[in-house]
Amino acid sequence: MIKQIQLIKTYCAICQYYDSTICKEAQRLSNNFSPKFTDAECMTIYIFGIQEGYRTVKAMYCYIKSYWHDWFPDLPSYVAFNTRICNLAQAFASLAGILMLENDLSASDMNFLMDSMPVIVANSKRSNSAKAASEMCDKGYCSSKNMYYYGVKIHLLAQRQPGTLPIPHDIVVSRASENDLAVAKEYLEPWHNITVFADKAYRDSSWNLELAERGVEVITPVKLKKGQKTLSYFDKLFSSAVSSARQTIEVFFSWLADKTGINSASKVRSSNGLIAFIFARLVAALYS
């Protein structure tokens, strides 16, 4: 019964958002503008499949066909279903954006966390030869995993919630090789009057002066100066406090990867498929 309720809630929510906003991202100029198997049904199956722990479109399709076919009598062939998922890539991205906009900013705590995580389309062994979704992907290096990979990065800005997971407010997808600081300079542009805790990769003195004019402060651990071997006691204490404040965004990324498998996109073959892969998983996590 719990699964049935979750499926109904997911479908009803998608129908609500689809009719009001998402339909603009999924409109077709064809004679089959209103297919029997609706876009809302297709999106529901994909998101529900992720929530149920299935990691590939094929596995989700087989699960629905085997156990929920009575709920989706017009379910098309697997090939047609997979094509629809790719065609709805921008609809999934739009839905994720809507859910994040619904996360109210808490005026009492304008402390935010900023970081990135890799979405691996091909591992280090295949990173030089991989070509899937080449419009979006390239080869990059993940320092936390000490590995090269082919894929993209997710950049997250989330409001800090002491003692629990942060609340996502802005997510950007970039090529794996793009510098975190360069991307952050773009997606922090609209923000005002917030404090952001980040790692050393986001440290830039001239940029910090520009941000200060908008009331934005980026706090990072202290870097060693040229020729300096160790930090002073107070610098170590400060850096430790910043790292402690940032810890929950790392926990969020770990939770997101465990819950949805978002960090491993080895089955993706197209840019639209990758967009759907990423944002459907964000929706599944945000709406679970």
Side-chain angles (χ1 to χ4, degrees):
M1 181 61 71
I2 295 176
K3 290 184 179 182
Q4 287 93 327
I5 293 173
Q6 180 64 41
L7 180 57
I8 292 169
K9 285 175 62 179
T10 301
Y11 177 70
C12 289
I14 289 174
C15 285
Q16 174 190 348
Y17 296 126
Y18 186 92
D19 292 339
S20 62
T21 306
I22 301 174
C23 61
K24 298 174 184 176
E25 305 290 346
Q27 286 183 349
R28 300 176 183 79
L29 300 176
S30 72
N31 294 328
N32 193 33
F33 184 78
S34 300
K36 288 185 178 180
F37 181 68
T38 66
D39 290 340
E41 289 179 290
C42 187
M43 294 177 72
T44 298
I45 288 174
Y46 195 33
I47 292 168
F48 181 67
I50 295 167
Q51 292 171 333
E52 286 295 289
Y54 294 92
R55 296 293 179 255
T56 66
V57 177
K58 183 71 171 180
M60 296 170 196
Y61 179 86
C62 292
Y63 170 64
I64 295 296
K65 189 173 183 179
S66 297
Y67 298 102
W68 299 90
H69 195 265
D70 289 346
W71 290 53
F72 302 96
D74 296 312
L75 183 70
S77 67
Y78 166 69
V79 173
F81 175 74
N82 192 36
T83 300
R84 288 281 289 279
I85 291 294
C86 293
N87 290 341
L88 288 167
Q90 294 304 322
F92 286 112
S94 178
L95 179 56
I98 291 170
L99 292 177
M100 283 188 290
L101 284 174
E102 290 186 345
N103 291 331
D104 293 332
L105 288 172
S106 173
S108 61
D109 188 355
M110 295 302 284
N111 292 323
F112 285 73
L113 307 170
M114 181 168 62
D115 208 347
S116 67
M117 73 173 293
V119 177
I120 301 170
V121 176
N123 59 26
S124 56
K125 291 182 179 179
R126 295 179 51 243
S127 61
N128 287 323
S129 59
K131 297 180 180 179
S134 58
E135 299 90 345
M136 292 179 62
C137 301
D138 67 2
K139 183 177 179 179
Y141 179 74
C142 177
S143 58
S144 63
K145 296 181 181 294
N146 191 27
M147 64 172 285
Y148 287 95
Y149 70 99
Y150 176 85
V152 297
K153 283 193 287 191
I154 297 174
H155 304 263
L156 174 68
L157 181 69
Q159 189 174 22
R160 187 175 176 233
Q161 300 289 300
T164 188
L165 294 177
I167 301 174
H169 281 283
D170 199 359
I171 290 176
V172 175
V173 179
S174 77
R175 290 177 177 270
S177 64
E178 288 196 42
N179 181 269
D180 286 354
L181 177 60
V183 177
K185 287 181 178 180
E186 291 187 18
Y187 72 75
L188 274 186
E189 187 66 30
W191 289 84
H192 294 73
N193 302 318
I194 61 172
T195 299
V196 182
F197 293 90
D199 66 23
K200 295 177 184 178
Y202 298 92
R203 192 176 183 87
D204 184 296
S205 300
S206 59
W207 181 47
N208 287 345
L209 292 175
E210 295 177 17
L211 291 174
E213 296 177 1
R214 305 200 308 271
V216 177
E217 183 181 14
V218 176
I219 300 176
T220 64
V222 179
K223 275 187 176 182
L224 288 170
K225 296 178 181 178
K226 189 175 181 179
Q228 186 179 10
K229 294 183 179 180
T230 61
L231 294 174
S232 68
Y233 172 78
F234 291 106
D235 283 345
K236 285 181 180 179
L237 205 61
F238 177 81
S239 295
S240 177
V242 175
S243 297
S244 179
R246 288 186 59 255
Q247 187 176 15
T248 54
I249 196 168
E250 296 172 357
V251 173
F252 177 85
F253 281 143
S254 179
W255 170 80
L256 185 62
D258 289 342
K259 190 174 184 65
T260 69
I262 197 171
N263 57 325
S264 179
S266 60
K267 300 297 183 181
V268 169
R269 293 294 176 267
S270 68
S271 293
N272 278 342
L274 183 57
I275 292 170
F277 175 93
I278 292 170
F279 286 101
R281 279 159 175 75
L282 289 171
V283 170
L286 293 171
Y287 198 69
S288 61

